[in-house]
Amino acid sequence: MKKFEDLKDVHIDVLTEIGNIGSGNASTALSAMVGCEVVISMPEVKFLSFQEAIEKNGCPEETVAAVLVRLKDDVEGMILMTIEQEFAQAVLSAFFGERTVTLDTLNEDEISALTEIGNIMSHSYITAITSLAGLAIGVETPSFTIDMFGAVMSVPVIEFGEIGEQLMCIDKVIELDGIKMKSNMLLIPTVESLKNMFERLGIE
């Protein structure tokens, strides 16, 4: 395996199951954090070119918030979660009470809350990988930014362009207190890290 394009159906099935376990972990953690019911749909794992990932997941000029968590040790790479206006409005209203939220005017408490939510979502997938494959995964302190979607997407392109022409996208529908919204997450391990994970699982 030298690039994502070399992955077989069995590999996709394993990654989907990891996403499913991670979604269950995240639902429980987010429910406790925001104090209302959170349901996360079965995620869909897709491999898209950099340009397709931008076109299918948002408008390049749209302002989004993003939480980036870098991975190290047995799995190297990053997890990038983008947060659109609708998602920010819903979760911050649930957390702080009804209020009008705009990404351009977030205060420190709101930024801290969104960063923690992204951190929880990321760790839910990390926990799923470690529980299944027994890998040790270290994480760096999450970073938060607000920028145009196209600019945010340029980060994995610049840092991990050598992995090939595709990114691994995990698409989910999150239902927060009855309101459904889409959440975009990019799980971008190095190819060597994927090989290590599948070897631990006994999958060639």
Side-chain angles (χ1 to χ4, degrees):
M1 184 190 302
K2 297 182 179 180
K3 51 189 177 180
F4 283 160
E5 290 91 326
D6 295 333
L7 292 174
K8 302 174 183 178
D9 288 344
V10 64
H11 298 133
I12 305 299
D13 290 341
V14 170
L15 293 170
T16 300
E17 181 58 23
I18 288 173
N20 192 34
I21 295 171
S23 293
N25 295 341
S27 295
T28 301
L30 286 178
S31 293
M33 182 177 182
V34 301
C36 64
E37 184 180 13
V38 176
V39 178
I40 303 180
S41 67
M42 178 77 171
E44 181 182 3
V45 178
K46 296 183 294 186
F47 292 89
L48 304 173
S49 69
F50 296 123
Q51 189 59 40
E52 286 174 335
I54 293 175
E55 293 174 352
K56 292 182 179 296
N57 291 310
C59 172
E61 290 79 29
E62 179 185 5
T63 298
V64 298
V67 179
L68 173 65
V69 177
R70 287 183 169 83
L71 312 177
K72 57 185 179 180
D73 298 331
D74 286 347
V75 174
E76 296 182 341
M78 67 170 62
I79 296 178
L80 177 64
M81 179 180 180
T82 58
I83 301 171
E84 299 176 358
Q85 175 68 40
E86 179 188 22
F87 185 87
Q89 176 69 59
V91 297
L92 292 177
S93 291
F95 194 71
F96 294 110
E98 288 298 328
R99 62 204 298 174
T100 300
V101 173
T102 59
L103 294 178
D104 291 329
T105 59
L106 295 175
N107 60 38
E108 290 186 7
D109 288 340
E110 292 166 339
I111 289 174
S112 178
L114 291 178
T115 302
E116 182 58 22
I117 287 169
N119 196 32
I120 287 172
M121 296 290 287
S122 299
H123 275 76
S124 68
Y125 286 90
I126 294 168
T127 301
I129 294 172
T130 56
S131 63
L132 283 178
L135 296 171
I137 304 176
V139 297
E140 297 182 4
T141 301
S143 58
F144 181 90
T145 190
I146 298 173
D147 208 331
M148 291 188 296
F149 184 68
V152 169
M153 286 296 298
S154 70
V155 175
V157 174
I158 293 170
E159 293 198 25
F160 292 96
E162 73 275 8
I163 61 176
E165 299 299 324
Q166 293 185 323
L167 295 174
M168 185 192 309
C169 301
I170 303 173
D171 288 340
K172 306 170 296 304
V173 175
I174 297 178
E175 185 173 329
L176 181 68
D177 207 17
I179 301 173
K180 291 183 179 181
M181 66 206 77
K182 185 178 179 182
S183 172
N184 298 320
M185 179 176 288
L186 295 178
L187 173 59
I188 312 170
T190 62
V191 173
E192 190 64 31
S193 295
L194 280 182
K195 288 172 63 178
N196 291 340
M197 183 176 71
F198 290 130
E199 285 176 2
R200 289 286 187 94
L201 293 171
I203 300 172
E204 297 183 357

